[in-house]
Amino acid sequence: MDPNKVLIFDTTLRDGEQSPGASLNEAEKIKIAHELAKLKVDVIEAGFPISSSGDFNAVHRIALEVEGPIICGLARAKESDIEKAAQALEPAKKKRIHTFIGASNIHLEHKLKLTKTQCIEQAVRMVRLAKSFTEDVEFSPEDAGRAEHDFLFELVEAVIEAGATTVNIPDTVGYITPVEFGNLIKAIKDKVPNINQAIISVHCHNDLGLAVANSLAALQNGARQVECTINGLGERAGNCALEEIVMILRTRKDCLGLYTDIKTTEISRTSHLVSNLTGFPVQKNKAIVGANAFAHESGIHQDGVLKNKNTYEIIDPSEVGLRTNRLPLGPRSGKHALKNRLEELGFHLVDIQLDSAYLRFKELADKKKQVSDKDLISIVDEKERESVTNTFYKLERLQVACGSGLPTASVQIRSLKDEKVVQTSALGTGPVDAVYQAIKELVEIPNELIEFSVHSVTEGIDAQGEVTIRIKYQNKIFSGYSADTDILNASAKAYLNAVNKLCDFLSNFEERGSENKPKEILIDL
Ligand code: KIV
Ligand code: ZN
């Protein structure tokens, strides 16, 4: 491998999906995996096959369908985990098993109750087992950031000897600082005699906001794989953000001398898709993919950028797939103009999808007159969500009365299973609550609304409101999203979107039988 190339190992579908409330269904994971392949990541960590039958099936389908990147499955250093991962990955053209075991004293003593010798012995046995299924085996000493260095060196040497081709050094709790982490990677390079037989990878968590800085320090000291996620999703405060580390390497190639194979023009589109499907909005001032990342507000900055972009812009927005300064479409724009604009934005719709996007576009253009790129993206997002969730219920009509009296909502929905239209009215503490109470009564599935947020897609009084909600059914969380110029309509559609995902989940149980009911195992990550 070229010594200056950095491999991008994307773990959005595994660590990213462990973000509280970010659960994705099988179809959504497949959609994201295809997008990651377009982005040209080197490795997709598609899931943790033993954790549930849903995860197993998603890894299996990704292994079957997604070509290009290596498909990886996570497994604790246990026979059953490794066998399950191997089974899920079986159809992949290029597959990797990623196995891990706790390596810090805290993990060894309190979680695993293993001595250091037992830990090395188990890690070696499990790497050999993984090796019997695939040449490509990655090993992680979990919580390496807090592990004793001499023990870590010994463990790394032993697993490489057993056949590990990548050794990943995780800062599992986001505790380490950049200089310390850089020194640790350098020490691994200096002290582990067989280190040249493996690639050093890093996996940094963001608890102290240092995940990207720590990953960069590791690369400057010899690591050549970064584990990262789109939008920095992941356990707790998340992981190293893919878009940030990739754009740092690209923008500062002059001083870092490293590169990735990422197709950066796909970054915005992938970020959007992941945010849309996980229901995790991207913070406005987020580097690279936030709505304000390329916005210049102050007069001095605007003046400078108009004279020469380089005055205040270190990245051309087109490098990450954003195009600026285009005229908005309007009520007179035809289907052809819409198709062209959507293609420029990276959406290639087939005729039937284009027809339905056009109908929605016309409705919006009649209300708003000027339809911006952001509006178009929200239209396609909605269609995209519909395409990855079976629709059980559809909103037909909504009427809301509010003011100083009792907020009341009358809702009519269609059940697409039997084409029955049902309706009811309900009171609520406010208009949104009244809408939810009415829908809940109609769908008859107990669920709790645990999160509701509304943002405007663009500026102006006629802007569309984007509603993201989360509902809880037993221990499972489902997100829903919708956008509309009327936020009560958006709220009702977002709620039905989440309810449709819940129905999808329940119908999978019915189809697969209770035997295969995803048993959520307690994962000691
Ligand atoms: O954070 C961590 O240590 C992990 C490992 C499984 C690599 O996610
Ligand atoms: Zn992690």
Side-chain angles (χ1 to χ4, degrees), residues 141-147 149 152 169-172 175-176 181 184:
E142 194 191 6
D143 203 17
R146 292 189 298 172
H149 287 189
L152 188 60
I169 309 299
D171 177 27
T172 304
Y175 179 72
I176 214 156
F181 201 44
L184 175 60

Side-chain angles (χ1 to χ4, degrees), residues 95-112:
K95 51 177 129 330
R96 173 179 298 184
I97 295 177
H98 175 192
T99 186
F100 70 98
I101 191 165
S104 63
N105 287 345
I106 305 175
H107 279 230
L108 289 172
E109 281 162 28
H110 300 286
K111 192 178 80 171
L112 301 170

